[in-house]
Amino acid sequence: MPVLTRLIPSPVVVDIRPGALDDLAGLLADQRISSSGRVAIAVSGGSGQSLRTRLEPVLTAADWYLVADGTIDSAVRLADGIKGKRYDAVVGLGGGKIIDVAKYAAARVGLPLVAVATNLAHDGLCSPVSTLDNDNGRGSYGVPTPIAIVVDLDVIRDAPVRFIRSGIGDAVSNISAIADWELSHGINGEPVDGLAAAMARTAGEAVLRHPGGAGDDEFLTVLAEALVLTGIAMSISGDTRPSSGACHEISHAFDLLHPTRRALHGEQVGLGAAFAMHLRGAHEESQLFTEVLHRHGLPVLPEEIGFSPEEFVRAVAYAPQTRPGRFTILEHLDLSTDQIRDAYADYAKTISS
């Protein structure tokens, strides 16, 4: 009897624990990623650069590349600097912007990418996508999944707590994104990849229902694992559908309409997901969602991230244009601006009561 299966793109190793950074050189050698330590390490001028002095004595064969920002231009410059120098791998050491730049550069020169996160701000840690700023605002570029993921919880705890909160918002927004995917399946017959949906939903639920908080290693481990699982779910489905629905459309609208004022990605998608849950009429789930966001210090109203209610209404109205062809609760309801304004007033009243 034949056994039918499929190969799932995933990291060779995922190391999430306190002190993981100290074993980076050993991980590279033991996993045969780079036994010589001949790697290109991309760092920012912030958290990554501050860890350079800690790693240089054990990664003596590595070359270090300072990344200025999270733009496509920086990613291309990094790739040009790495090209032809016979590295075994690229290491992205820093937050989401640095890892996205490193993922793109590694893909461009055909090298594996080791993602070493200094914060847990969003699920780009393990996703097959690099989100980079460009002349038109922000673009998403397909890249291979990282070959290894390293998350040192000691380093994560030293990062501003706002980054952890952002990661929470991104993880729990999976639940709203899966609801949108299933809605599209029911209305339009769009196929749902059950395995990808199960992984993304499980990741979101694990964070949503965990009683811990940002100072708790057990909770940080669950959050890091959830972000990794979400990235793998996207690799399985071949697109961002498992983690991106109306929540992300609203966030992308903020990015495009207010590029100099946008909040952290996870803050925006968490808010977008909370509103999308309300639009669905899933009142119990919506109440739990906003309660958990509140408990973790995440915004549930636009004023909490510097936007007026009217700016939020305009962002929701614009949101479907950010992902043409994607069907979510926003496209399904097809609300006018006045209807969105009324729905937001009802949402604000409901969560404040």
Side-chain angles (χ1 to χ4, degrees):
M1 181 177 180
V3 177
L4 302 179
T5 187
R6 59 174 168 174
L7 298 177
I8 298 174
S10 63
V12 172
V13 59
V14 176
D15 190 9
I16 302 171
R17 59 187 170 86
L21 192 64
D22 294 329
D23 295 330
L24 178 60
L27 180 148
L28 294 172
D30 294 344
Q31 298 298 325
R32 300 184 180 180
I33 297 169
S34 178
S35 56
S36 67
R38 181 74 179 143
V39 294
I41 305 180
V43 295
S44 68
S47 57
Q49 184 73 357
S50 67
L51 294 170
R52 177 174 177 174
T53 53
R54 178 173 164 185
L55 291 174
E56 274 187 313
V58 293
L59 290 171
T60 56
D63 290 331
W64 296 78
Y65 293 84
L66 186 63
V67 175
D69 53 35
T71 63
I72 184 68
D73 291 338
S74 287
V76 171
R77 280 195 296 270
L78 177 61
D80 290 343
I82 291 170
K83 187 166 53 182
K85 295 187 179 176
R86 298 185 180 277
Y87 295 117
D88 298 320
V90 178
V91 177
L93 175 60
K97 289 182 179 180
I98 300 306
I99 290 176
D100 276 348
V101 165
K103 281 196 292 186
Y104 182 92
R108 193 176 175 97
V109 298
L111 289 173
L113 187 281
V114 178
V116 183
T118 58
N119 67 56
L120 297 176
H122 60 74
D123 59 24
L125 172 63
C126 189
S127 74
V129 176
S130 283
T131 303
L132 301 169
D133 292 333
N134 56 36
D135 291 340
N136 293 319
R138 181 171 283 184
S140 297
Y141 306 88
V143 295
T145 300
I147 195 172
I149 305 290
V150 177
V151 179
D152 188 326
L153 298 183
D154 294 329
V155 175
I156 298 302
R157 278 195 306 282
D158 286 341
V161 71
R162 188 182 178 195
F163 290 127
I164 296 172
R165 291 170 178 160
S166 177
I168 295 168
D170 207 14
V172 300
S173 75
N174 288 3
I175 299 166
S176 177
I178 296 299
D180 281 327
W181 202 2
E182 291 173 340
L183 174 68
S184 183
H185 173 72
I187 300 295
N188 300 320
E190 179 184 353
V192 172
D193 188 306
L195 178 58
M199 291 182 72
R201 193 196 325 266
T202 299
E205 291 282 355
V207 176
L208 183 72
R209 300 183 185 279
H210 197 288
D216 176 1
D217 274 1
E218 181 183 339
F219 176 78
L220 291 178
T221 300
V222 169
L223 175 59
E225 290 173 346
L227 297 176
V228 170
L229 284 174
T230 302
I232 296 173
M234 285 187 268
S235 293
I236 292 170
S237 69
D239 58 20
T240 60
R241 207 39 160 139
S243 66
S244 176
C247 48
H248 280 61
E249 288 183 335
I250 294 170
S251 178
H252 294 318
F254 276 129
D255 291 342
L256 292 170
L257 296 174
H258 308 285
T260 62
R261 294 171 53 204
R262 61 195 183 204
L264 292 179
H265 174 77
E267 294 174 331
Q268 293 181 172
V269 299
L271 171 61
F275 183 63
M277 298 286 277
H278 178 79
L279 289 179
R280 291 187 191 94
H283 298 303
E284 289 187 11
E285 293 89 343
S286 179
Q287 183 177 1
L288 172 62
F289 209 87
T290 53
E291 286 175 357
V292 170
L293 292 178
H294 249 315
R295 180 168 67 82
H296 287 294
L298 279 154
V300 293
L301 293 170
E303 298 95 322
E304 295 169 343
I305 51 173
F307 294 104
S308 69
E310 190 59 33
E311 287 173 325
F312 180 76
V313 169
R314 286 199 296 269
V316 174
Y318 184 80
Q321 299 179 51
T322 68
R323 285 292 182 271
R326 180 153 293 184
F327 190 84
T328 76
I329 190 65
L330 299 180
E331 287 79 7
H332 177 58
L333 296 178
D334 192 23
L335 301 176
S336 67
T337 301
D338 285 342
Q339 288 172 319
I340 294 171
R341 190 175 292 111
D342 291 342
Y344 173 74
D346 184 56
Y347 165 78
K349 179 181 178 181
T350 300
I351 65 172
S352 61
S353 60

